Structure formats: C-alpha cells, structure tokens
Amino acid sequence: MTDAATRAAALLHEHRESIDRLDAILLYTLAERFKHTQSVGRLKAEHNLPPSDPTREAAQIARLERLSQEADLDPEFARKFLTFIISEVIRHHEKLQK
Ligand SMILES: O=C(O)C(=O)C[C@]1(C(=O)O)C=C[C@@H](O)C=C1
C-alpha cells in the first residue's frame, strides 16, 4: 500500500468508528424516546384520548425544521424522519387502545 492509501485507510477507520458511536447514540436515544411515548400511549388509552395530535405534530415539525437549519441538516430530511417515527408511535398508541 502507498502512504496515501495507508492514510486513507486510517481515516476511513476513524470515520467508521465515529459513525458506529453515533449510531449507538441514535439507537439509545430512540429507545428512550419510545419509553416516553409508551407512557403517553398508556395515558391516552386510559383517558380515551385520540392516538394522534396533529396540532402537537405541526409544532414539533416546525421546531425540528428550525433546529435542523441551525444544525446544518436538511430540514426536509428532518421532517421525514420525525414523521416516520411519529407514525410508528401512533401505531403503538392504536394497539394500546384495542
Ligand atoms: O405527544 C403526544 O401526544 C404523543 O402521542 C407523542 C407523539 C410523538 O411521537 O411525539 C406521537 C403522536 C402524536 O400525534 C404527537 C406526538
């Protein structure tokens, strides 16, 4: 291997270590979020509240779009990501209401 290729391989390894560390953070963060939403789902089921709350979602999306601009992340990606997670949460809430 040339020096340049060795340096590139070392850099790739470092980036991949960071990526693995960040993926773990994302996963644990998501698990913690789901613990809170499970509690919300139980509360909603106990009090006959609807699984989804579009007003709350609109506020969350607006906030995330603002944050993603500050964080230099594509706001459209942030919106799709949150919408994907919330749709899974709503599915869990609906199951609790059956
Ligand atoms: O805050 C709520 O009411 C929730 O049920 C949680 C949550 C979310 O995952 O953030 C999920 C569904 C609602 O439509 C809005 C928000």
Side-chain angles (χ1 to χ4, degrees):
M1 249 204 275
T2 64
D3 281 0
T6 305
R7 265 199 310 280
L11 273 176
L12 179 62
H13 181 74
E14 273 178 33
H15 285 303
R16 285 181 173 168
E17 276 186 344
S18 296
I19 289 166
D20 286 347
R21 184 173 48 79
L22 292 164
D23 283 349
I25 291 171
L26 274 176
L27 208 87
Y28 275 87
T29 304
L30 212 50
E32 199 175 324
R33 188 186 198 282
F34 275 112
K35 283 181 192 134
H36 286 286
T37 58
Q38 291 282 18
S39 300
V40 170
R42 279 193 293 272
L43 269 175
K44 286 186 169 182
E46 282 161 17
H47 298 276
N48 289 317
L49 294 167
S52 73
D53 182 341
T55 306
R56 164 77 176 144
E57 285 179 34
Q60 286 169 285
I61 287 167
R63 175 172 175 269
L64 234 80
E65 282 176 347
R66 259 196 331 271
L67 285 177
S68 53
Q69 269 155 7
E70 287 168 18
D72 204 17
L73 185 74
D74 177 7
E76 179 62 12
F77 170 77
R79 190 189 59 74
K80 280 191 205 154
F81 184 60
L82 185 68
T83 305
F84 174 68
I85 294 168
I86 289 180
S87 65
E88 181 67 8
V89 171
I90 291 171
R91 209 173 57 78
H92 294 175
H93 288 356
E94 283 168 349
K95 269 201 203 156
L96 286 171
Q97 300 210 339
K98 278 178 191 154

